[in-house]
Amino acid sequence: MTPLCAAIVRDHQARKSRAQKAAFRELVKAEMRKEGVFFREERTKGLLENVNLVCGNLATAEFVFGAHYDTCAELPFPNLAAPLNIPLSILMQVLLTLMLALPAALGAFLTAYLGASADVAAAVGVLLGVLASALVIAGKPNRHTMNDNTSGVVALLTLLSRLPKERRGRVAVVLFDNEEVGLIGSTLFRKRHARVMADKPLVNLDCVGDGDMLLLAPNKGYRADEELCARTQAAFPAGALAPVFARRAFYPSDQWGFPKALAVATLKRRRFFGAVIDRIHTRRDTILEKKNIEYIVEGLLRLTDHENA
């Protein structure tokens, strides 16, 4: 792990507040500048400030590699994801919604039971629903974010440090803001650079620190490029991780909406659930396997080395 990545793991796992994000960005820009790698900020002001960190020339790069750097609020229950089991993934999202709605429903019921009018009970329910949603979006920053998504950030910064200077022009890197509150950073980036990204592959790393299976999930545009798909599969042979090139997966992350995109994550098998991502959004998100980062960085280096492809 590079000194910069070690500092991020040690001091900057929480990147949720404006101050936390700013401190992280300044550290990345200053330390990468020492290696001749320059990040710039793309700012968008509005109800929610968004600051993406971008490195490289998007117009001339062959690949754009992305990962979100913002982190979530700490929750008492994990946001379990099962990308290869679409019905289960949808069910988990429904259950999460119901868990958020439960305080509202109970509050409204108890208020009505105690004799309040229907209007008052409804108002209490709405208020509790808003508070529950605010807990998820704007609650206490989770200080343990090794997998989601310190792992993706570490992988891309390590890649930039190891990428030969003569190949840096082939790659652009973007660290997205505000993924945790609705893919805002990647959506703004996609709209801002729509013409450039029309036929350029985006490879998005999200939760790559925990697990022994590597999910490579291409969207329709990525799959349509048969040469690119073959090159991607060749870049990630079986080794420290077992790659799964999934033509059908449900993985809602920053690659959504891009014309040609690949989602990259690591999974582990759990009884009854199959291949999943667990622990994230809780204080138990403490695992970042060095072998995962090494394997993924090596794969991305092979992917960009077309002379030896």
Side-chain angles (χ1 to χ4, degrees), residues 25-261:
R25 292 193 304 268
E26 290 306 314
L27 175 68
V28 169
K29 289 188 296 181
E31 292 303 311
M32 293 306 296
R33 189 182 302 120
K34 296 175 184 178
E35 301 185 38
V37 177
F38 299 92
F39 276 93
R40 63 187 180 277
E41 294 185 352
E42 287 189 353
R43 290 180 170 269
T44 304
K45 292 185 178 180
L47 182 62
L48 188 66
E49 181 187 50
N50 191 87
V51 187
N52 292 333
L53 277 179
V54 183
C55 171
N57 189 328
L58 295 171
T60 59
E62 297 177 22
F63 289 91
V64 177
F65 296 141
H68 74 87
Y69 74 88
D70 69 306
T71 56
C72 62
E74 182 184 313
L75 297 181
F77 47 83
N79 184 12
L80 185 71
L84 300 178
N85 188 334
I86 295 177
L88 178 60
S89 292
I90 295 174
L91 176 62
M92 293 306 300
Q93 294 303 311
V94 171
L95 289 176
L96 180 61
T97 302
L98 290 176
M99 290 179 72
L100 294 177
L102 185 61
L106 287 176
F109 173 78
L110 289 174
T111 303
Y113 180 78
L114 292 173
S117 67
D119 288 342
V120 172
V124 169
V126 169
L127 177 61
L128 290 176
V130 170
L131 290 175
S133 299
L135 176 65
V136 173
I137 297 174
K140 174 186 175 183
N142 189 7
R143 298 194 175 276
H144 301 282
T145 65
M146 291 289 268
N147 195 28
D148 184 20
N149 188 32
T150 297
S151 62
V153 170
V154 164
L156 290 186
L157 294 177
T158 302
L159 172 71
L160 286 173
S161 293
R162 292 181 53 184
L163 195 66
K165 290 183 178 180
E166 65 272 14
R167 281 162 50 195
R168 285 180 180 173
R170 299 178 188 171
V171 171
V173 167
V174 54
L175 301 181
F176 296 116
D177 195 3
N178 290 319
E179 187 269 355
E180 296 288 358
V181 292
L183 312 182
I184 293 174
S186 56
T187 300
L188 292 171
F189 177 86
R190 173 168 48 84
K191 292 180 177 180
R192 181 170 184 168
H193 302 287
R195 183 174 298 179
V196 171
M197 297 303 298
D199 193 45
K200 197 179 298 289
L202 172 81
V203 178
N204 182 52
L205 310 186
D206 189 5
C207 300
V208 296
D210 187 13
D212 55 13
M213 297 172 57
L214 181 73
L215 173 68
L216 301 166
N219 69 0
K220 184 177 180 181
Y222 203 100
R223 294 194 305 270
D225 191 332
E226 295 182 2
E227 181 182 357
L228 178 60
C229 285
R231 185 171 158 189
T232 301
Q233 289 176 282
F236 295 95
L241 298 177
V244 177
F245 198 77
R247 296 179 179 274
R248 185 171 178 269
F250 179 76
Y251 198 78
S253 187
D254 283 314
Q255 79 283 346
W256 272 19
F258 284 87
K260 182 184 288 188

